[in-house]
Amino acid sequence: MTSVAARVERTTASTTESACSRSAAGSAVANPPEFRSHNGVLRVNLAFRGFRAANGEMRYCYVSDRGAQSPSLRLRPGDLLILNLRNELTPGPLPAQEVAHPHKPKPAAKRLPAPTICAGDAMSPLATNLHFHGLAVPPVCHADDVLRTLLTPGSSFQYRIRIPRDQPPGLYWYHPHPHGSVEAQVLGGASGALIVEGIESENPILAGLPERVLVIRDQRNADGRPGKSAAIEDDAYVPEKPSNDLSINSVPIPYPNYPPAIITAHAGTREFWRVLNASADTYLDIQIVKGRAPRPLGVVALDGVSIWHDNRQQQIQWNSDIPLPPGARAEFLVDLPAENTDLRLVTLGVQTGPLTDDDLLFDPNAAATVADDDDHMPPRPLARISTAGISAAPLASLPVLASPKTPRRRPAPTPLSRAETNRTRKLYFSEGLLHEKDPTGPKTFMITEEGRLPKVFDPASVEPDITVRQGDVEDWTIENRSQESHVFHIHQTHFRLLERDGTVVDEPYLRDTVAIPYWDGDPNEFPSVKLRLDFRSPGITGTFPYHCHVLLHEDGGMMGTIRVQPAKR
Ligand SMILES: [Cu+2]
């Protein structure tokens, strides 16, 4: 007998067969499709679609009118992005438990008026919205509001985002942010690059270089076998198995053989790489190796911001590897050797927690809503870089000279590293148990300002957790009081890392994501970072979140809100 859920699924699958397509493992990596602004405006229509693949994997994607999947959006500072988003999810593609009540009215049939979309009262696994990660744009309806804006299935909505004239040129991104469903949608592949043009005007060394855009995503393992978190007595325990597979520009690199994707390049050339970790839960630490020897990577920007921007001393920093927690971006130079040779792009392993009794006791069959299954990230190959004369699809290059139309930027404010601070705060990440008497059951995830009561994020709460004033600069210490790593991210602004574990850090970057390693149980010390946060941008007044960018944790409650009040007149 066919269940209702299975029938719905098949119907949907037959009508959206081409939705959210993936390349074959081991195939060539091409830059994502892209749309550029013209005359100061970029208009794009994107449908948000879901699709259940034959192996049960849930996929999500954005598809343009012309069929471009999850395109890169390219705009100049000062340009207007008009993005019409249509939620085309149907109950069919959701996992069976989500369609447990086949007789309830189909959300797809309901068209909601625009005011409801901004009222935040439509939480469901089928609702979605958009976040423009890293941009200092207003956190309001029709712009970058994720706390109240929710599109139910069948509804359309217009985003109008003016890229600030002083937005540092670089790599940003867009992804869904409906609390409770963010991990599922991003794991399914819903994300795309957003590039603010003109980085070559801040870093003339980049002018004319061929540009490669790489979006690395994670996705659930397809083979269904338990991984690291399975009970160790279980015969199916596979120590090497990562929690999630990775893909690079939609070319999957599946466990257990990790067939690398193929990047073809020309020997003896310099390329400009822009790499986005669009993973929901997976930390990366990328490296290019020849044999086992790392090749130097010339970092010019992190999290969208040129390293020149806040430090004015250094335009490039050569590193052997670049750690990229979920949500982070790096833009760097790659010098390909003159001789024909094979290089590999790899990610080093990242340890995000100690192996505890919890790991050994974890039961993958328990009906946990929040499973501790995000914590094993082994080293693995991503791509083979071939310079052996295979004709590469030519890459577009950055402009040779800065365009005369580049908008003039306002004079830079005082560098954040030298700005006067208004106050300091301490916040901490912590975890708890959803059911106190069930130590192996689901966890709760919290981020709390010291002195207040720890609580999971409450979408119904109206009062912000923290209030500041536009123009302020604050120093925040963020501690990790849990035994797994977390990633601090705040919307609308960047920060500078001042200290790690109380020791001054000398790094030139502005960031919007930073990893705080797990607590090893030492009662005398929690791992911490000290950050200088910038609330000076005039366009960010309103209320927006800060949260852990491991999206399993964010969905599990590790999020708070901050209100930036207008400056005093
Ligand atoms: Cu976290």
Side-chain angles (χ1 to χ4, degrees):
M1 192 184 135
T2 314
S3 74
V4 171
R7 239 178 14 242
V8 171
E9 181 195 330
R10 241 200 340 267
T11 312
T12 308
S14 65
T15 54
T16 57
E17 224 152 49
S18 63
C20 308
S21 61
R22 301 282 193 273
S23 304
S27 56
V29 175
N31 276 0
E34 57 183 36
F35 295 121
R36 287 172 191 265
S37 62
H38 291 286
N39 299 320
V41 180
L42 173 57
R43 276 193 180 79
V44 58
N45 300 331
L46 293 178
F48 179 65
R49 291 190 183 152
F51 175 73
R52 182 112 82 115
N55 64 7
E57 176 204 343
M58 242 348 266
R59 297 177 183 173
Y60 295 94
C61 61
Y62 300 104
V63 183
S64 80
D65 290 345
R66 289 180 260 166
Q69 192 176 303
S70 303
S72 302
L73 309 177
R74 307 186 69 116
L75 301 101
R76 308 191 69 82
D79 284 356
L80 179 64
L81 170 64
I82 302 175
L83 193 159
N84 295 306
L85 180 68
R86 183 175 164 76
N87 182 349
E88 293 189 358
L89 291 190
T90 61
L94 282 172
Q97 67 268 25
E98 308 283 11
V99 270
H101 306 290
H103 300 298
K104 75 180 176 189
K106 279 186 187 171
K110 216 157 114 189
R111 266 183 170 276
L112 297 171
T116 310
I117 287 177
C118 291
D121 56 3
M123 272 186 79
S124 100
L126 296 167
T128 194
N129 61 19
L130 274 179
H131 171 46
F132 300 88
H133 183 126
L135 298 181
V137 295
V140 300
C141 187
H142 294 284
D144 190 32
D145 164 55
V146 299
L147 296 170
R148 309 282 292 162
T149 304
L150 278 173
L151 284 77
T152 48
S155 59
S156 298
F157 188 71
Q158 187 169 81
Y159 287 91
R160 295 174 71 89
I161 305 270
R162 175 78 66 184
I163 309 295
R165 285 189 183 280
D166 55 359
Q167 185 76 45
L171 176 59
Y172 301 86
W173 63 300
Y174 60 94
H175 66 81
H177 211 298
H179 182 64
S181 308
V182 189
E183 187 203 25
Q185 294 183 9
V186 173
L187 263 181
S191 55
L194 190 155
I195 293 171
V196 177
E197 306 270 37
I199 196 167
E200 68 285 351
S201 62
E202 279 209 348
N203 299 67
I205 197 172
L206 302 175
L209 290 184
E211 178 200 42
R212 203 177 281 284
V213 178
L214 299 174
V215 181
I216 299 174
R217 300 181 174 90
D218 59 1
Q219 61 187 61
R220 286 278 181 252
N221 293 118
D223 72 357
R225 285 191 295 164
K228 179 87 165 180
S229 299
I232 204 151
E233 299 81 10
D234 187 337
D235 287 345
Y237 173 71
V238 184
E240 303 83 8
K241 187 176 180 183
S243 305
N244 293 316
D245 277 338
L246 293 171
S247 70
I248 181 163
N249 288 4
S250 297
V251 180
I253 308 131
Y255 171 86
N257 296 322
Y258 307 120
I262 307 294
I263 290 174
T264 53
H266 294 292
T269 58
R270 170 171 276 188
E271 292 190 351
F272 177 49
W273 285 30
R274 315 185 103 160
V275 178
L276 156 62
N277 184 2
S279 296
D281 302 318
T282 308
Y283 293 71
L284 303 174
D285 188 354
I286 56 172
Q287 186 169 70
I288 291 178
V289 290
K290 181 182 178 185
R292 285 172 173 268
R295 307 268 310 172
L297 305 174
V299 180
V300 296
L302 208 77
D303 287 353
V305 184
S306 160
I307 64 176
W308 174 253
H309 191 81
D310 197 56
N311 110 324
R312 304 278 162 184
Q313 291 165 7
Q314 191 180 3
Q315 290 194 46
I316 181 163
Q317 188 177 74
W318 292 94
N319 293 337
S320 64
D321 62 296
I322 308 172
L324 286 179
R329 291 85 69 206
E331 297 167 82
F332 54 92
L333 300 173
V334 174
D335 286 330
L336 297 155
E339 71 279 12
N340 286 339
T341 183
D342 269 7
L343 306 175
R344 280 182 309 142
L345 173 67
V346 302
T347 176
L348 306 176
V350 180
Q351 194 181 347
T352 60
L355 187 68
T356 64
D357 289 350
D358 269 6
D359 288 294
L360 305 182
L361 292 171
F362 179 76
D363 175 4
N365 298 315
T369 53
V370 181
D372 181 19
D373 61 357
D374 59 328
D375 58 352
H376 182 50
M377 293 158 210
R380 50 191 137 161
L382 296 169
R384 186 165 67 85
I385 306 165
S386 170
T387 59
I390 307 163
S391 73
L395 294 175
S397 294
L398 292 178
V400 174
L401 294 167
S403 157
K405 286 182 184 166
T406 301
R408 288 175 66 86
R409 291 192 194 92
R410 280 177 294 208
T414 310
L416 191 54
S417 48
R418 296 209 304 270
E420 268 183 47
T421 51
N422 300 77
R423 68 171 285 174
T424 60
R425 298 176 196 268
K426 181 185 275 188
L427 285 79
Y428 61 93
F429 289 114
S430 64
E431 298 182 3
L433 295 170
L434 191 58
H435 311 296
E436 227 171 88
K437 290 178 182 160
D438 182 7
T440 60
K443 289 179 179 176
T444 56
F445 297 90
M446 294 157 285
I447 181 168
T448 311
E449 183 174 12
E450 185 149 81
R452 306 185 67 165
L453 213 57
K455 59 173 178 50
V456 297
F457 174 71
D458 175 10
S461 171
V462 178
E463 280 310 303
D465 297 296
I466 290 175
T467 302
V468 300
R469 209 169 268 285
Q470 188 262 315
D472 287 355
V473 174
E474 295 199 352
D475 285 353
W476 292 11
T477 296
I478 320 272
E479 283 183 352
N480 189 349
R481 301 184 185 175
S482 78
Q483 296 206 305
E484 65 180 317
S485 302
H486 297 290
V487 180
F488 179 79
H489 168 59
I490 185 164
H491 289 209
Q492 289 15 81
T493 191
H494 280 66
F495 49 78
R496 190 146 171 168
L497 175 62
L498 303 177
E499 295 176 11
R500 261 193 195 280
D501 300 330
T503 303
V504 171
V505 170
D506 180 25
E507 62 163 45
Y509 315 125
L510 290 181
R511 300 169 172 268
D512 59 35
T513 47
V514 65
I516 299 124
Y518 63 90
W519 177 49
D520 64 6
D522 177 350
N524 299 314
E525 193 187 16
F526 294 111
S528 69
V529 293
K530 186 176 176 186
L531 310 176
R532 179 157 295 165
L533 289 98
D534 191 349
F535 302 107
R536 294 175 296 177
S537 174
I540 64 167
T541 54
T543 304
F544 51 87
Y546 52 87
H547 60 87
C548 176
H549 219 291
V550 174
L551 298 177
L552 173 80
H553 303 169
E554 189 262 281
D555 280 338
M558 210 168 237
M559 181 152 88
T561 56
I562 179 167
R563 179 175 296 154
V564 179
Q565 295 180 312
K568 276 188 190 144
R569 290 180 187 271

